[in-house]
Amino acid sequence: MFYSSLEIINSTNYSISGEISYMTVFCNDVDFTVQPNYTWKSEKRLCPIVEILAFVITENGVFLAKPFISMGTMHDSFEIVQNGDCNFRVIKMKRVKEKATPQLLQATI
């Protein structure tokens, strides 16, 4: 069984390097690098995610973002955000469901 590919969105103005850890020993951890305001995408994956670490590289040094930690998630979209000076975190992106376009009824004569 394959899970969908994983995407990590860098919503900061800094480069980020990190590591994705999976639930079982059958899946190797994956390193990633994503430039400012870009998205990194993985190939399809086999295992649920237990941790995403992100190191934010700024002109003031390298900062560890508050990691995403789970018992094992199949979620496929994450974002690295800045919460203040040198304060970063990895969060799950929420999927916005598209609203159905209302159908207008036409009068028949």
Side-chain angles (χ1 to χ4, degrees), residues 1-2 21 27 71 88 101:
M1 175 179 173
F2 283 95
S21 299
C27 293
M71 295 289 288
F88 305 91
T101 306

Side-chain angles (χ1 to χ4, degrees), residues 77-91:
S77 187
F78 297 87
E79 183 177 14
I80 302 164
V81 296
Q82 184 170 5
N83 293 335
D85 292 346
C86 306
N87 186 2
F88 305 91
R89 69 183 304 164
V90 181
I91 60 172

Side-chain angles (χ1 to χ4, degrees), residues 23 48-52 67-74 78 92:
M23 186 177 214
I49 296 166
V50 292
E51 185 175 44
I52 299 176
F68 170 82
I69 299 174
S70 170
M71 295 289 288
T73 185
M74 297 182 292
F78 297 87
K92 278 202 282 190

